[in-house]
Amino acid sequence: MSDKIISPFFGQHNHAHCTQEALEQAEVSCAGKGLKLTALRKEVLTIVWQTHKPVGAYDVLEELRTRGHKPSPPTAYRALDFLVHAKLIHRLASLNAYIGCPAPDEGHQGQFLICTQCKSVAEIEDLRIIKAIDATAASTGFNANRQSIEITGLCGACESQT
Amino acid sequence: MSDKIISPFFGQHNHAHCTQEALEQAEVSCAGKGLKLTALRKEVLTIVWQTHKPVGAYDVLEELRTRGHKPSPPTAYRALDFLVHAKLIHRLASLNAYIGCPAPDEGHQGQFLICTQCKSVAEIEDLRIIKAIDATAASTGFNANRQSIEITGLCGACESQT
DNA sequence: CACCTTTTTGTTATAGTATTACATAACAGT
DNA sequence: ACTGTTATGTAATACTATAACAAAAAGGTG
């Protein structure tokens, strides 16, 4: 099978465990790359990981406030930018929002299934898509360096509730 | 070959002809669907078609002003929304901008190659990508209804100028 | 045509998203 | 301790998009 689901696919799971694992991976990953996962950045990462739904920058700000900070927008955007560059989270352009990346060290690009009903997002890695894009790039001389693939629809659970 | 370039791929072409054809197609397409391509909407479509670079909503507003209108934001957004729904233009989520669709009646989804250097955008339709997405959807129970595929990089021309 | 309904456009205000610019503080190496 | 660098705080502002209501234009019907 050439596609791989790399986040819990709209299913039940132990989310506390899921989040904790992401945080531990983040520590390791940053240490390995010489990046500094400061207290603030870690807190923002935790906030993003609270759900598998995308979180907006101003949601992060709000949440930081409930945790005793008094942040203004650049605080959130800077932390989010750092996390994106560290490949710990992804930005979903179609939603202006962020979501935790469950596999920061696999060098994958973002491919997302976004449920319009329950708002959950699953990240996938489909080698056929990557290959197809590479092939098109090669055939046209286009030198691709980033792909943003965002597919919206209804997840199985929401579909069956109709 | 399973992929198709459906807009001039970063190459030279007779753009006046290109634009005019798009406008004529738009007339026909709207007539066929019972949609009203009003003077304002047509003017906005023309503005979007001025280049193969994406155009922002406020660019459209600006351009409308130079043409004697005194529009406020909703004027531009409404016309752009109409054109998107009529499948005459696409919105590029990663750029908050719009670009003309050269093949409005082919029912395709948007797949775009975006050159970060010259800002040109080419639209492609790669059946392998579509099939790969359908396959993933089928295998997970996800019911996809819209895809947004935006690939950024350097086009051949800009690459060779390096 | 006169009337009514629907759609489109105008207008004002405001909501939501993101960045610039500069100040202060924390950190790392000498 | 000193210094250069990185991170965070703060204020202001730019950019993107929509809500809500008013006016005008277009289309249908008796």
Side-chain angles (χ1 to χ4, degrees):
Chain A
M1 182 114 168
S2 70
D3 64 288
K4 187 164 67 157
I5 295 166
I6 60 177
S7 60
F9 191 72
F10 306 118
Q12 284 127 20
H13 63 290
N14 184 333
H15 190 63
H17 178 264
C18 177
T19 300
Q20 193 188 333
E21 188 169 349
L23 288 170
E24 285 167 9
Q25 277 191 356
E27 298 271 18
V28 173
S29 175
C30 284
K33 297 184 208 157
L35 298 175
K36 284 191 282 189
L37 188 62
T38 63
L40 176 64
R41 290 164 176 174
K42 196 167 173 180
E43 195 159 11
V44 170
L45 182 59
T46 307
I47 291 169
V48 172
W49 268 102
Q50 281 181 343
T51 68
H52 285 284
K53 304 188 201 315
V55 177
Y58 281 74
D59 295 334
V60 169
L61 276 171
E62 194 62 31
E63 183 67 21
L64 282 172
R65 279 196 193 97
T66 70
R67 294 172 177 226
H69 298 72
K70 295 183 185 61
S72 35
T75 300
Y77 281 102
R78 283 193 288 230
L80 289 166
D81 285 350
F82 169 86
L83 296 171
V84 167
H85 287 124
K87 296 182 189 284
L88 299 174
I89 64 175
H90 293 282
R91 179 170 188 275
L92 299 172
S94 65
L95 300 175
N96 297 325
Y98 300 82
I99 193 154
C101 174
D105 283 324
E106 298 193 17
H108 57 86
Q109 307 269 357
Q111 303 179 356
F112 304 94
L113 302 177
I114 303 169
C115 179
T116 51
Q117 177 88 30
C118 68
K119 311 296 181 195
S120 284
V121 173
E123 181 170 357
I124 60 173
E125 183 169 36
D126 189 319
L127 294 180
R128 287 167 300 193
I129 295 176
I130 292 173
K131 279 182 191 159
I133 288 172
D134 287 347
T136 297
S139 74
T140 60
F142 188 86
N143 188 9
N145 64 19
R146 194 170 61 86
Q147 30 166 293
S148 158
I149 297 177
E150 302 179 18
I151 298 148
T152 56
L154 278 184
C155 71
C158 289
E159 175 80 353
S160 61
Q161 279 171 21
T162 311
Chain B
M1 184 111 170
S2 72
D3 65 286
K4 189 165 62 158
I5 296 166
I6 60 177
S7 61
F9 190 73
F10 306 117
Q12 284 128 17
H13 63 291
N14 183 333
H15 190 61
H17 178 265
C18 177
T19 300
Q20 193 188 334
E21 188 170 350
L23 288 171
E24 285 166 10
Q25 276 191 356
E27 298 272 16
V28 173
S29 175
C30 284
K33 297 184 208 158
L35 297 175
K36 284 190 282 189
L37 189 62
T38 63
L40 176 65
R41 289 163 177 173
K42 197 168 172 179
E43 195 158 12
V44 171
L45 181 59
T46 306
I47 291 169
V48 171
W49 267 101
Q50 281 182 343
T51 69
H52 285 284
K53 305 188 201 314
V55 177
Y58 281 74
D59 295 333
V60 170
L61 276 170
E62 194 63 32
E63 183 66 21
L64 282 173
R65 278 195 194 98
T66 71
R67 294 171 177 227
H69 297 72
K70 295 183 184 61
S72 35
T75 299
Y77 281 102
R78 282 191 289 230
L80 289 167
D81 285 349
F82 169 87
L83 295 171
V84 167
H85 287 124
K87 296 181 189 285
L88 299 174
I89 65 176
H90 293 282
R91 180 173 187 273
L92 299 172
S94 65
L95 300 175
N96 297 325
Y98 300 81
I99 193 155
C101 174
D105 283 324
E106 298 193 16
H108 57 87
Q109 306 268 355
Q111 303 179 357
F112 304 94
L113 301 177
I114 303 170
C115 179
T116 51
Q117 178 87 30
C118 68
K119 310 297 182 194
S120 285
V121 173
E123 180 170 358
I124 60 173
E125 183 169 36
D126 189 320
L127 293 179
R128 286 167 300 193
I129 295 176
I130 293 174
K131 280 183 190 158
I133 288 172
D134 287 347
T136 298
S139 75
T140 60
F142 189 86
N143 189 9
N145 64 17
R146 193 170 61 86
Q147 30 167 292
S148 157
I149 297 178
E150 301 178 18
I151 298 149
T152 56
L154 278 185
C155 71
C158 288
E159 175 80 354
S160 61
Q161 279 172 21
T162 311

